[in-house]
């Protein structure tokens, strides 16, 4: 993707340097209170992907804290189209979340908020990898975004299925090999006309989970998909997990997907979902599946399920536990006239303790429902980004079966505090690589169908991934972009681009 700077936006409305948001008196009047917040009557816009009712209530809570600041929220339908249209119309949002970071970075939509973030004491108590891995910095010395919605890729076990098959629940600190053994042991044809039991049902393929869990930091400090260590990729880690998953599918251990002939043959329902059959032992899912489906009171009883959250196992035992997950990014726009106040709004809506306590007030009141009459805690509620213990205490209490399954839930929650975002959220050029190479040749289908081995693609895929990443880093953060790379960094990325042979 070439840098597509929208000149109208940048020329007409940018009011502060891309190298920093400026001081706290950056608003037009310069009048601020004792906390450095403007005393002007202003309006800030926040564009998001969350439940609309939740965001409206969060905005109301923020306005109660800052009565002179009006907040308007809007749910994004299509990031690229909505932001491009807003830039052209001159009504760009002050703060916005993104589904992929390449769009925001290529267009220089997000401002550098390092000054505010670095001076904020609350940022020192976030989920550890946010600062350790620079999540939202995109492997630069500047910060352009912070995580917002966070849903770990999770493992769940249907305890009812294991009981029916006379299989013991695994230990919560299990290993990857133990999980694979369970998947195989729980795949059974019971006979007597009963439906087959499958060991694994998946939304998230195992290759991405494996790649994060595959190695100890002293071997390779993986901080992103495809063996990414902050500088380059090594897809040999992906290949092992990809092949293992494909082998499980080919051998019949993986439940059919919805709207397939296999699903209709198994359940008699073309649109069936393996997560309601009561005949799948292990699930590789996004956490939203529990929040939106299994976690709704009475739902598990309706389908005869007993879904227990489990730690995504490490391949290497006794190592620091990281987990991959969906982790949207959000930032202050380069056109914002009140960048400090916009940062406060960003913080409130994402990681701030005060904002999270306001969220929990909303989630704890089950009489508050959205337009679909769903309690808001079952409407795409994500996980806290702060390590604040009171926030986590209140958050855990939102789960109906927490107390009766406390040993599992506590171990699970402890295991998800070191997130690693899927690549398109936090690695420059990642989506370009997927779009132009990885998905273009259909690697998943090739390997799943036995038409190729994952290992056969490692060398070429690694070269492609490194090229698209290096090209994006130069484009987004070099002299023609944000201009935050050192001469040495530029030279390193340029050498990768120059050596690439398509």
């Amino acid at each position: 993707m070439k840098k597509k700077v929208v000149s109208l936006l940048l020329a007409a409305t940018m009011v502060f340097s891309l190298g920093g948001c400026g001081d706290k008196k950056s608003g037009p009047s310069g009048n601020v209170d004792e906390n450095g917040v403007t005393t002007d009557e202003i309006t800030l816009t926040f564009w998001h992907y969350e439940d609309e009712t939740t965001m409206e209530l969060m905005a109301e809570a923020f306005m109660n804290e800052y009565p002179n600041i009006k907040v308007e929220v809007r749910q994004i339908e299509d990031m690229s189209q909505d932001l491009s249209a807003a830039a052209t119309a001159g009504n760009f949002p002050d703060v916005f979340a993104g589904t992929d970071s390449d769009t925001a970075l290529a267009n220089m939509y997000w401002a550098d908020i390092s000054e505010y973030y670095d001076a904020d004491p609350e940022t020192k108590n976030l989920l550890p990898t946010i600062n350790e891995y620079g999540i939202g910095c995109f492997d630069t010395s500047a910060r352009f975004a912070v995580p917002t919605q966070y849903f770990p890729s999770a493992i769940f076990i249907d305890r009812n299925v294991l009981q029916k098959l006379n299989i013991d629940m695994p230990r919560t600190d299990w290993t990857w090999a133990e999980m694979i053994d369970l998947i195989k042991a729980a795949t059974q044809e019971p006979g007597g006309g009963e439906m087959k039991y499958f060991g694994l049902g998946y939304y998230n393929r195992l290759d991405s989970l494996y790649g994060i869990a595959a190695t100890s930091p002293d071997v390779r400090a993986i901080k992103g998909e495809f063996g990414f260590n902050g500088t380059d990729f090594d897809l040999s880690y992906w290949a092992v997990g990809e092949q293992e998953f494909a082998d499980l599918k080919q051998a019949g251990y993986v439940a059919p997907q919805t709207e397939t002939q296999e699903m209709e043959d198994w359940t008699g329902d073309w649109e069936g979902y393996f997560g309601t059959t009561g005949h799948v032992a292990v699930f590789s899912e996004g956490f939203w599946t529990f929040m939106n489906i299994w976690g709704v009171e009475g739902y598990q009883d309706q389908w005869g399920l007993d879904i227990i959250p489990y730690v995504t196992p490490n391949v290497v035992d006794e190592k620091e536990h990281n987990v991959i997950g969906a982790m949207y990014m959000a930032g202050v726009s380069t056109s914002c006239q009140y960048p400090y106040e916009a940062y406060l709004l960003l913080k409130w809506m994402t990681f701030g303790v005060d904002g999270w306590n306001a969220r929990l007030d909303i989630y704890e009141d089950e009489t508050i429902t959205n337009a679909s009459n769903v309690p808001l805690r079952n409407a795409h509620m994500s996980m806290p980004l702060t390590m604040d213990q009171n926030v986590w205490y209140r958050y855990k209490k939102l789960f109906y079966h927490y107390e009766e399954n406390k040993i599992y839930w506590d171990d699970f929650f402890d295991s998800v505090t070191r997130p690693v975002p899927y690549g398109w959220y936090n690695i420059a050029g990642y989506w370009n690589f997927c779009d132009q190479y990885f998905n273009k040749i259909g690697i998943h289908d090739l390997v799943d169908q036995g038409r190729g081995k994952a290992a056969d693609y490692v060398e070429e895929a690694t070269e492609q991934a490194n090229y698209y990443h290096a090209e994006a880093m130069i484009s987004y953060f070099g002299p023609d972009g944000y201009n935050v790379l050192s001469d040495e960094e530029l030279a390193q990325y340029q050498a990768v681009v120059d050596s690439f042979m398509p």
Side-chain angles (χ1 to χ4, degrees), residues 49-87:
Y49 289 91
E50 299 196 50
D51 174 80
E52 291 181 283
T53 303
T54 303
M55 286 295 96
E56 289 167 0
L57 293 173
M58 286 291 290
E60 289 179 13
F62 181 86
M63 290 186 284
N64 288 336
E65 290 291 315
Y66 302 95
N68 63 309
I69 303 177
K70 179 182 179 181
V71 176
E72 297 176 349
V73 295
R74 170 184 160 179
Q75 191 177 65
I76 298 174
E77 295 181 8
D78 181 278
M79 180 184 178
S80 181
Q81 293 181 15
D82 289 2
L83 293 177
S84 179

mmCIF file of all heavy atoms in Angstrom, residues 49-87:
data_model
loop_
_atom_site.group_PDB
_atom_site.id
_atom_site.type_symbol
_atom_site.label_atom_id
_atom_site.label_comp_id
_atom_site.label_asym_id
_atom_site.label_seq_id
_atom_site.Cartn_x
_atom_site.Cartn_y
_atom_site.Cartn_z
ATOM 1 N N TYR A 49 -16.134 0.831 17.288
ATOM 2 C CA TYR A 49 -16.717 -0.418 16.784
ATOM 3 C C TYR A 49 -17.502 -1.153 17.868
ATOM 4 O O TYR A 49 -17.875 -2.312 17.693
ATOM 5 C CB TYR A 49 -15.614 -1.353 16.263
ATOM 6 C CG TYR A 49 -14.984 -0.871 14.990
ATOM 7 C CD1 TYR A 49 -13.856 -0.060 15.028
ATOM 8 C CD2 TYR A 49 -15.512 -1.213 13.749
ATOM 9 C CE1 TYR A 49 -13.266 0.393 13.855
ATOM 10 C CE2 TYR A 49 -14.922 -0.763 12.584
ATOM 11 C CZ TYR A 49 -13.813 0.039 12.642
ATOM 12 O OH TYR A 49 -13.231 0.490 11.480
ATOM 13 N N GLU A 50 -17.768 -0.497 18.953
ATOM 14 C CA GLU A 50 -18.408 -1.156 20.084
ATOM 15 C C GLU A 50 -19.932 -1.053 20.003
ATOM 16 O O GLU A 50 -20.496 -0.449 19.090
ATOM 17 C CB GLU A 50 -17.896 -0.559 21.394
ATOM 18 C CG GLU A 50 -16.402 -0.732 21.606
ATOM 19 C CD GLU A 50 -15.993 -0.481 23.039
ATOM 20 O OE1 GLU A 50 -16.630 -1.057 23.949
ATOM 21 O OE2 GLU A 50 -15.037 0.282 23.241
ATOM 22 N N ASP A 51 -20.583 -1.646 21.005
ATOM 23 C CA ASP A 51 -22.030 -1.546 21.120
ATOM 24 C C ASP A 51 -22.427 -0.077 21.260
ATOM 25 O O ASP A 51 -21.857 0.664 22.072
ATOM 26 C CB ASP A 51 -22.499 -2.346 22.342
ATOM 27 C CG ASP A 51 -23.972 -2.181 22.603
ATOM 28 O OD1 ASP A 51 -24.770 -2.854 21.924
ATOM 29 O OD2 ASP A 51 -24.322 -1.360 23.483
ATOM 30 N N GLU A 52 -23.404 0.351 20.478
ATOM 31 C CA GLU A 52 -23.757 1.769 20.441
ATOM 32 C C GLU A 52 -24.304 2.269 21.774
ATOM 33 O O GLU A 52 -23.975 3.372 22.221
ATOM 34 C CB GLU A 52 -24.769 2.012 19.323
ATOM 35 C CG GLU A 52 -24.186 1.846 17.927
ATOM 36 C CD GLU A 52 -25.198 2.111 16.832
ATOM 37 O OE1 GLU A 52 -26.033 1.231 16.575
ATOM 38 O OE2 GLU A 52 -25.153 3.207 16.242
ATOM 39 N N THR A 53 -25.156 1.474 22.415
ATOM 40 C CA THR A 53 -25.723 1.896 23.693
ATOM 41 C C THR A 53 -24.635 2.061 24.741
ATOM 42 O O THR A 53 -24.622 3.035 25.502
ATOM 43 C CB THR A 53 -26.769 0.881 24.177
ATOM 44 O OG1 THR A 53 -27.774 0.723 23.180
ATOM 45 C CG2 THR A 53 -27.411 1.334 25.474
ATOM 46 N N THR A 54 -23.703 1.114 24.779
ATOM 47 C CA THR A 54 -22.601 1.204 25.733
ATOM 48 C C THR A 54 -21.797 2.474 25.522
ATOM 49 O O THR A 54 -21.465 3.193 26.471
ATOM 50 C CB THR A 54 -21.678 -0.020 25.611
ATOM 51 O OG1 THR A 54 -22.428 -1.216 25.815
ATOM 52 C CG2 THR A 54 -20.542 0.042 26.627
ATOM 53 N N MET A 55 -21.481 2.782 24.273
ATOM 54 C CA MET A 55 -20.674 3.961 23.989
ATOM 55 C C MET A 55 -21.420 5.258 24.295
ATOM 56 O O MET A 55 -20.816 6.239 24.755
ATOM 57 C CB MET A 55 -20.234 3.945 22.521
ATOM 58 C CG MET A 55 -19.145 2.939 22.204
ATOM 59 S SD MET A 55 -17.556 3.294 23.020
ATOM 60 C CE MET A 55 -17.697 2.248 24.466
ATOM 61 N N GLU A 56 -22.714 5.280 24.080
ATOM 62 C CA GLU A 56 -23.496 6.472 24.422
ATOM 63 C C GLU A 56 -23.482 6.709 25.931
ATOM 64 O O GLU A 56 -23.346 7.852 26.398
ATOM 65 C CB GLU A 56 -24.929 6.310 23.912
ATOM 66 C CG GLU A 56 -25.044 6.400 22.393
ATOM 67 C CD GLU A 56 -26.398 5.931 21.872
ATOM 68 O OE1 GLU A 56 -27.241 5.534 22.706
ATOM 69 O OE2 GLU A 56 -26.601 5.968 20.648
ATOM 70 N N LEU A 57 -23.603 5.631 26.697
ATOM 71 C CA LEU A 57 -23.569 5.765 28.150
ATOM 72 C C LEU A 57 -22.184 6.129 28.650
ATOM 73 O O LEU A 57 -22.035 6.895 29.612
ATOM 74 C CB LEU A 57 -24.046 4.461 28.796
ATOM 75 C CG LEU A 57 -25.527 4.120 28.566
ATOM 76 C CD1 LEU A 57 -25.842 2.728 29.103
ATOM 77 C CD2 LEU A 57 -26.427 5.168 29.221
ATOM 78 N N MET A 58 -21.152 5.584 27.998
ATOM 79 C CA MET A 58 -19.783 5.953 28.360
ATOM 80 C C MET A 58 -19.531 7.439 28.080
ATOM 81 O O MET A 58 -18.843 8.120 28.854
ATOM 82 C CB MET A 58 -18.792 5.086 27.595
ATOM 83 C CG MET A 58 -18.684 3.659 28.086
ATOM 84 S SD MET A 58 -17.917 3.561 29.716
ATOM 85 C CE MET A 58 -16.217 4.006 29.323
ATOM 86 N N ALA A 59 -20.070 7.918 26.972
ATOM 87 C CA ALA A 59 -19.921 9.341 26.641
ATOM 88 C C ALA A 59 -20.632 10.207 27.675
ATOM 89 O O ALA A 59 -20.110 11.251 28.100
ATOM 90 C CB ALA A 59 -20.480 9.612 25.245
ATOM 91 N N GLU A 60 -21.819 9.792 28.108
ATOM 92 C CA GLU A 60 -22.538 10.540 29.137
ATOM 93 C C GLU A 60 -21.731 10.599 30.431
ATOM 94 O O GLU A 60 -21.664 11.647 31.092
ATOM 95 C CB GLU A 60 -23.900 9.890 29.400
ATOM 96 C CG GLU A 60 -24.911 10.060 28.277
ATOM 97 C CD GLU A 60 -26.228 9.374 28.592
ATOM 98 O OE1 GLU A 60 -26.445 8.991 29.770
ATOM 99 O OE2 GLU A 60 -27.054 9.211 27.670
ATOM 100 N N ALA A 61 -21.120 9.486 30.800
ATOM 101 C CA ALA A 61 -20.320 9.455 32.022
ATOM 102 C C ALA A 61 -19.113 10.394 31.904
ATOM 103 O O ALA A 61 -18.746 11.084 32.871
ATOM 104 C CB ALA A 61 -19.866 8.031 32.313
ATOM 105 N N PHE A 62 -18.479 10.428 30.739
ATOM 106 C CA PHE A 62 -17.349 11.334 30.524
ATOM 107 C C PHE A 62 -17.813 12.781 30.626
ATOM 108 O O PHE A 62 -17.128 13.621 31.240
ATOM 109 C CB PHE A 62 -16.728 11.076 29.153
ATOM 110 C CG PHE A 62 -15.538 11.948 28.842
ATOM 111 C CD1 PHE A 62 -14.262 11.577 29.250
ATOM 112 C CD2 PHE A 62 -15.689 13.136 28.133
ATOM 113 C CE1 PHE A 62 -13.159 12.382 28.970
ATOM 114 C CE2 PHE A 62 -14.595 13.950 27.839
ATOM 115 C CZ PHE A 62 -13.326 13.564 28.264
ATOM 116 N N MET A 63 -18.953 13.103 30.043
ATOM 117 C CA MET A 63 -19.463 14.478 30.081
ATOM 118 C C MET A 63 -19.828 14.902 31.492
ATOM 119 O O MET A 63 -19.757 16.089 31.833
ATOM 120 C CB MET A 63 -20.648 14.622 29.132
ATOM 121 C CG MET A 63 -20.261 14.552 27.656
ATOM 122 S SD MET A 63 -21.621 14.884 26.494
ATOM 123 C CE MET A 63 -22.551 13.342 26.583
ATOM 124 N N ASN A 64 -20.217 13.955 32.355
ATOM 125 C CA ASN A 64 -20.459 14.285 33.757
ATOM 126 C C ASN A 64 -19.165 14.688 34.455
ATOM 127 O O ASN A 64 -19.174 15.532 35.360
ATOM 128 C CB ASN A 64 -21.086 13.089 34.479
ATOM 129 C CG ASN A 64 -22.523 12.844 34.069
ATOM 130 O OD1 ASN A 64 -23.214 13.763 33.616
ATOM 131 N ND2 ASN A 64 -22.991 11.624 34.222
ATOM 132 N N GLU A 65 -18.044 14.061 34.037
ATOM 133 C CA GLU A 65 -16.742 14.401 34.612
ATOM 134 C C GLU A 65 -16.212 15.721 34.051
ATOM 135 O O GLU A 65 -15.518 16.467 34.747
ATOM 136 C CB GLU A 65 -15.739 13.284 34.320
ATOM 137 C CG GLU A 65 -15.982 11.994 35.068
ATOM 138 C CD GLU A 65 -15.725 12.120 36.561
ATOM 139 O OE1 GLU A 65 -14.693 12.713 36.940
ATOM 140 O OE2 GLU A 65 -16.567 11.634 37.338
ATOM 141 N N TYR A 66 -16.515 15.989 32.802
ATOM 142 C CA TYR A 66 -16.038 17.193 32.108
ATOM 143 C C TYR A 66 -17.243 17.906 31.483
ATOM 144 O O TYR A 66 -17.516 17.757 30.289
ATOM 145 C CB TYR A 66 -15.019 16.818 31.029
ATOM 146 C CG TYR A 66 -13.817 16.066 31.550
ATOM 147 C CD1 TYR A 66 -13.765 14.668 31.532
ATOM 148 C CD2 TYR A 66 -12.717 16.756 32.074
ATOM 149 C CE1 TYR A 66 -12.667 13.973 32.013
ATOM 150 C CE2 TYR A 66 -11.611 16.068 32.559
ATOM 151 C CZ TYR A 66 -11.591 14.679 32.524
ATOM 152 O OH TYR A 66 -10.500 14.006 33.005
ATOM 153 N N PRO A 67 -17.974 18.686 32.300
ATOM 154 C CA PRO A 67 -19.242 19.277 31.834
ATOM 155 C C PRO A 67 -19.105 20.226 30.642
ATOM 156 O O PRO A 67 -20.086 20.446 29.915
ATOM 157 C CB PRO A 67 -19.758 20.026 33.070
ATOM 158 C CG PRO A 67 -19.086 19.366 34.223
ATOM 159 C CD PRO A 67 -17.735 18.959 33.721
ATOM 160 N N ASN A 68 -17.920 20.782 30.440
ATOM 161 C CA ASN A 68 -17.746 21.711 29.320
ATOM 162 C C ASN A 68 -17.404 21.005 28.013
ATOM 163 O O ASN A 68 -17.234 21.651 26.976
ATOM 164 C CB ASN A 68 -16.651 22.728 29.636
ATOM 165 C CG ASN A 68 -15.280 22.079 29.822
ATOM 166 O OD1 ASN A 68 -15.155 21.125 30.590
ATOM 167 N ND2 ASN A 68 -14.267 22.571 29.129
ATOM 168 N N ILE A 69 -17.273 19.671 28.052
ATOM 169 C CA ILE A 69 -16.914 18.914 26.853
ATOM 170 C C ILE A 69 -18.096 18.050 26.424
ATOM 171 O O ILE A 69 -18.516 17.152 27.156
ATOM 172 C CB ILE A 69 -15.676 18.026 27.086
ATOM 173 C CG1 ILE A 69 -14.485 18.871 27.552
ATOM 174 C CG2 ILE A 69 -15.318 17.272 25.800
ATOM 175 C CD1 ILE A 69 -13.239 18.053 27.877
ATOM 176 N N LYS A 70 -18.619 18.312 25.274
ATOM 177 C CA LYS A 70 -19.678 17.486 24.699
ATOM 178 C C LYS A 70 -19.027 16.393 23.846
ATOM 179 O O LYS A 70 -18.091 16.661 23.087
ATOM 180 C CB LYS A 70 -20.604 18.333 23.825
ATOM 181 C CG LYS A 70 -21.731 17.533 23.176
ATOM 182 C CD LYS A 70 -22.599 18.425 22.282
ATOM 183 C CE LYS A 70 -23.699 17.608 21.612
ATOM 184 N NZ LYS A 70 -24.540 18.453 20.716
ATOM 185 N N VAL A 71 -19.513 15.175 23.986
ATOM 186 C CA VAL A 71 -18.956 14.049 23.237
ATOM 187 C C VAL A 71 -20.025 13.463 22.331
ATOM 188 O O VAL A 71 -21.136 13.159 22.771
ATOM 189 C CB VAL A 71 -18.416 12.950 24.181
ATOM 190 C CG1 VAL A 71 -17.927 11.749 23.371
ATOM 191 C CG2 VAL A 71 -17.296 13.497 25.048
ATOM 192 N N GLU A 72 -19.692 13.327 21.075
ATOM 193 C CA GLU A 72 -20.556 12.665 20.102
ATOM 194 C C GLU A 72 -19.899 11.372 19.660
ATOM 195 O O GLU A 72 -18.720 11.365 19.296
ATOM 196 C CB GLU A 72 -20.803 13.570 18.900
ATOM 197 C CG GLU A 72 -21.533 14.863 19.254
ATOM 198 C CD GLU A 72 -21.685 15.802 18.065
ATOM 199 O OE1 GLU A 72 -21.034 15.534 17.019
ATOM 200 O OE2 GLU A 72 -22.425 16.789 18.186
ATOM 201 N N VAL A 73 -20.642 10.267 19.720
ATOM 202 C CA VAL A 73 -20.098 8.961 19.359
ATOM 203 C C VAL A 73 -20.784 8.446 18.102
ATOM 204 O O VAL A 73 -21.946 8.742 17.833
ATOM 205 C CB VAL A 73 -20.249 7.943 20.510
ATOM 206 C CG1 VAL A 73 -19.420 8.360 21.704
ATOM 207 C CG2 VAL A 73 -21.711 7.766 20.898
ATOM 208 N N ARG A 74 -20.040 7.667 17.351
ATOM 209 C CA ARG A 74 -20.575 7.075 16.125
ATOM 210 C C ARG A 74 -19.902 5.728 15.892
ATOM 211 O O ARG A 74 -18.692 5.588 16.070
ATOM 212 C CB ARG A 74 -20.312 7.989 14.926
ATOM 213 C CG ARG A 74 -20.627 7.332 13.581
ATOM 214 C CD ARG A 74 -20.284 8.212 12.407
ATOM 215 N NE ARG A 74 -20.154 7.434 11.177
ATOM 216 C CZ ARG A 74 -19.880 7.955 9.983
ATOM 217 N NH1 ARG A 74 -19.730 9.254 9.850
ATOM 218 N NH2 ARG A 74 -19.762 7.164 8.924
ATOM 219 N N GLN A 75 -20.693 4.751 15.497
ATOM 220 C CA GLN A 75 -20.161 3.431 15.167
ATOM 221 C C GLN A 75 -19.678 3.420 13.720
ATOM 222 O O GLN A 75 -20.399 3.823 12.807
ATOM 223 C CB GLN A 75 -21.240 2.367 15.361
ATOM 224 C CG GLN A 75 -20.726 0.947 15.288
ATOM 225 C CD GLN A 75 -21.818 -0.068 15.562
ATOM 226 O OE1 GLN A 75 -22.780 -0.175 14.793
ATOM 227 N NE2 GLN A 75 -21.690 -0.799 16.650
ATOM 228 N N ILE A 76 -18.440 2.973 13.509
ATOM 229 C CA ILE A 76 -17.862 2.909 12.171
ATOM 230 C C ILE A 76 -18.432 1.709 11.421
ATOM 231 O O ILE A 76 -18.549 0.617 11.976
ATOM 232 C CB ILE A 76 -16.328 2.798 12.246
ATOM 233 C CG1 ILE A 76 -15.742 4.040 12.925
ATOM 234 C CG2 ILE A 76 -15.714 2.625 10.861
ATOM 235 C CD1 ILE A 76 -14.241 3.940 13.166
ATOM 236 N N GLU A 77 -18.790 1.916 10.167
ATOM 237 C CA GLU A 77 -19.264 0.813 9.323
ATOM 238 C C GLU A 77 -18.126 0.232 8.494
ATOM 239 O O GLU A 77 -17.938 -0.976 8.430
ATOM 240 C CB GLU A 77 -20.396 1.303 8.423
ATOM 241 C CG GLU A 77 -21.650 1.726 9.199
ATOM 242 C CD GLU A 77 -22.768 2.185 8.282
ATOM 243 O OE1 GLU A 77 -22.631 2.027 7.051
ATOM 244 O OE2 GLU A 77 -23.776 2.699 8.788
ATOM 245 N N ASP A 78 -17.372 1.079 7.835
ATOM 246 C CA ASP A 78 -16.217 0.662 7.052
ATOM 247 C C ASP A 78 -15.115 1.682 7.292
ATOM 248 O O ASP A 78 -15.253 2.847 6.923
ATOM 249 C CB ASP A 78 -16.559 0.584 5.562
ATOM 250 C CG ASP A 78 -15.383 0.123 4.723
ATOM 251 O OD1 ASP A 78 -14.519 0.972 4.403
ATOM 252 O OD2 ASP A 78 -15.320 -1.076 4.382
ATOM 253 N N MET A 79 -14.021 1.252 7.900
ATOM 254 C CA MET A 79 -12.983 2.181 8.341
ATOM 255 C C MET A 79 -12.452 3.043 7.208
ATOM 256 O O MET A 79 -12.436 4.276 7.289
ATOM 257 C CB MET A 79 -11.853 1.400 8.990
ATOM 258 C CG MET A 79 -10.705 2.273 9.480
ATOM 259 S SD MET A 79 -9.340 1.291 10.132
ATOM 260 C CE MET A 79 -8.170 2.582 10.544
ATOM 261 N N SER A 80 -11.994 2.412 6.153
ATOM 262 C CA SER A 80 -11.375 3.146 5.063
ATOM 263 C C SER A 80 -12.352 4.124 4.414
ATOM 264 O O SER A 80 -12.049 5.306 4.229
ATOM 265 C CB SER A 80 -10.826 2.172 4.017
ATOM 266 O OG SER A 80 -10.207 2.877 2.961
ATOM 267 N N GLN A 81 -13.559 3.636 4.099
ATOM 268 C CA GLN A 81 -14.538 4.485 3.424
ATOM 269 C C GLN A 81 -15.038 5.607 4.321
ATOM 270 O O GLN A 81 -15.152 6.767 3.893
ATOM 271 C CB GLN A 81 -15.712 3.633 2.935
ATOM 272 C CG GLN A 81 -15.349 2.655 1.830
ATOM 273 C CD GLN A 81 -16.540 1.841 1.359
ATOM 274 O OE1 GLN A 81 -17.693 2.170 1.646
ATOM 275 N NE2 GLN A 81 -16.277 0.757 0.658
ATOM 276 N N ASP A 82 -15.340 5.288 5.581
ATOM 277 C CA ASP A 82 -15.874 6.295 6.491
ATOM 278 C C ASP A 82 -14.860 7.400 6.765
ATOM 279 O O ASP A 82 -15.197 8.592 6.770
ATOM 280 C CB ASP A 82 -16.298 5.649 7.808
ATOM 281 C CG ASP A 82 -17.551 4.798 7.670
ATOM 282 O OD1 ASP A 82 -18.073 4.680 6.547
ATOM 283 O OD2 ASP A 82 -18.004 4.237 8.686
ATOM 284 N N LEU A 83 -13.597 7.019 6.993
ATOM 285 C CA LEU A 83 -12.580 8.025 7.290
ATOM 286 C C LEU A 83 -12.237 8.856 6.060
ATOM 287 O O LEU A 83 -12.030 10.068 6.156
ATOM 288 C CB LEU A 83 -11.329 7.357 7.852
ATOM 289 C CG LEU A 83 -11.482 6.691 9.229
ATOM 290 C CD1 LEU A 83 -10.184 6.015 9.635
ATOM 291 C CD2 LEU A 83 -11.914 7.708 10.287
ATOM 292 N N SER A 84 -12.176 8.216 4.908
ATOM 293 C CA SER A 84 -11.895 8.956 3.681
ATOM 294 C C SER A 84 -12.994 9.972 3.405
ATOM 295 O O SER A 84 -12.716 11.131 3.050
ATOM 296 C CB SER A 84 -11.758 7.982 2.506
ATOM 297 O OG SER A 84 -11.509 8.682 1.304
ATOM 298 N N ALA A 85 -14.245 9.564 3.584
ATOM 299 C CA ALA A 85 -15.368 10.480 3.355
ATOM 300 C C ALA A 85 -15.336 11.631 4.356
ATOM 301 O O ALA A 85 -15.602 12.788 4.001
ATOM 302 C CB ALA A 85 -16.688 9.716 3.455
ATOM 303 N N ALA A 86 -14.988 11.320 5.601
ATOM 304 C CA ALA A 86 -14.927 12.365 6.620
ATOM 305 C C ALA A 86 -13.813 13.360 6.325
ATOM 306 O O ALA A 86 -13.981 14.570 6.524
ATOM 307 C CB ALA A 86 -14.714 11.732 7.992
ATOM 308 N N ALA A 87 -12.676 12.864 5.847
ATOM 309 C CA ALA A 87 -11.571 13.752 5.499
ATOM 310 C C ALA A 87 -11.959 14.693 4.370
ATOM 311 O O ALA A 87 -11.671 15.889 4.402
ATOM 312 C CB ALA A 87 -10.352 12.921 5.103
#
